[in-house]
Amino acid sequence: MLTVHEAGGTEAPIGRPATMVYATSLSEQAVLAAVRAGHTYVKTAGTAGPNLSLTAKRDAGGAAVMMGDSITGRDVQVTATISNSTDGKARILELQRNGVVVKQAPVLTPTATITLPVTQSGRYNIVVERKVGAGVIDAVSSPIYVTVPPANPAVSVAIGGVAKKCVKPKKTAKVTVTTTLTDATLGSVALKLDKKKLATVKRSPATVTIAGSKLKKPGKHTLTAQAMTQAGLKSTTVSKTITVCKK
């Protein structure tokens, strides 16, 4: 639901601006929540100006986000739309990243849309100008914050902590898991013992205790670990052999 707040009297040359708010309802609480979330755009000449829509979505699926929201992925597309441009004025629809135009199109019909596959992190927002070089802005949106993770992140996993040549049958063993990721970027590290799920850790370094019930059979057992970033990118799998002593 789109609500409107018009500014009071002003002598500013841009006219009487109106803040447009995408709120879930017309209640004061819903409007304030939408404003705090940045689900807003401004019409510089009042409510009669053009309407704006700014969304972003991953090709892999998931819900679309709107102006004021954040999204992470290497397959994000940002879509900017202007509508209600019916007064016959020549306008340019601009999609900007960090204040620099990355794509634009003339508005030749009441509704126009541009779509951009995002390759760089940044703040993406809409600016509608009266025409190129005129310096008259008709509308500006709040940004969508896009994070594009690296294609080949430096993700590695090391397993240590089992120093003995062999572990006695039915005795616990402790292993230490470390990664090159920070807590801010680490999603999780999945550990398996003999191809069966053992544990999932979400901090690095982390200590994992292998129960004695999983180390009953004498011989060699394979412990593997694979890290995943919060963006869903996986590391190569590393392994360590744990030997259980013969009785």
Side-chain angles (χ1 to χ4, degrees):
M1 180 178 294
L2 192 63
T3 65
V4 183
H5 170 72
E6 287 193 305
T10 176
E11 295 181 359
I14 60 174
R16 187 180 183 186
T19 300
M20 314 300 288
V21 182
Y22 283 99
T24 56
S25 71
L26 292 176
S27 70
E28 179 180 353
Q29 184 178 11
V31 172
L32 288 175
V35 171
R36 293 189 186 102
H39 297 167
T40 60
Y41 66 93
V42 174
K43 298 182 179 185
T44 61
T47 58
N51 299 324
L52 302 183
S53 171
L54 179 66
T55 60
K57 189 174 182 179
R58 294 187 60 187
D59 290 341
V65 302
M66 66 182 302
M67 54 187 76
D69 294 337
S70 300
I71 189 170
T72 299
R74 294 189 56 79
D75 56 350
V76 174
Q77 288 204 69
V78 175
T79 301
T81 300
I82 181 175
S83 59
N84 195 43
S85 180
T86 58
D87 55 10
K89 295 177 180 177
R91 292 186 170 93
I92 297 294
L93 174 63
E94 298 177 350
L95 183 59
Q96 298 189 359
R97 172 184 172 271
N98 298 340
V100 178
V101 177
V102 290
K103 192 170 185 178
Q104 65 181 23
V107 181
L108 306 176
T109 58
T111 299
T113 297
I114 54 177
T115 300
L116 177 73
V118 174
T119 59
Q120 292 181 292
S121 300
R123 306 183 310 274
Y124 290 81
N125 74 302
I126 298 173
V127 174
V128 177
E129 289 199 56
R130 193 65 59 83
K131 66 180 192 178
V132 175
V136 177
I137 295 175
D138 279 345
V140 180
S141 77
S142 295
I144 289 177
Y145 303 89
V146 181
T147 299
V148 180
N152 297 300
V155 181
S156 65
V157 182
I159 308 174
V162 183
K164 297 179 180 179
K165 290 184 178 180
C166 63
V167 179
K168 291 183 180 180
K170 299 183 181 180
K171 295 294 184 179
T172 61
K174 289 186 178 181
V175 296
T176 302
V177 180
T178 59
T179 79
T180 56
L181 297 171
T182 66
D183 287 346
T185 56
L186 174 61
S188 62
V189 179
L191 287 92
K192 294 182 179 181
L193 183 65
D194 296 332
K195 299 183 179 181
K196 294 181 180 179
K197 182 178 179 180
L198 175 65
T200 300
V201 297
K202 296 186 177 181
R203 296 185 67 85
S204 175
T207 300
V208 176
T209 299
I210 304 176
S213 61
K214 297 183 181 295
L215 299 171
K216 295 186 293 184
K217 184 179 179 181
K220 294 183 178 181
H221 299 264
T222 302
L223 176 67
T224 61
Q226 184 178 47
M228 178 183 293
T229 69
Q230 292 187 5
L233 299 173
K234 295 181 179 180
S235 72
T236 55
T237 300
V238 297
S239 63
K240 185 178 184 69
T241 299
I242 300 176
T243 302
V244 177
C245 305
K246 294 180 180 180
K247 295 182 180 180

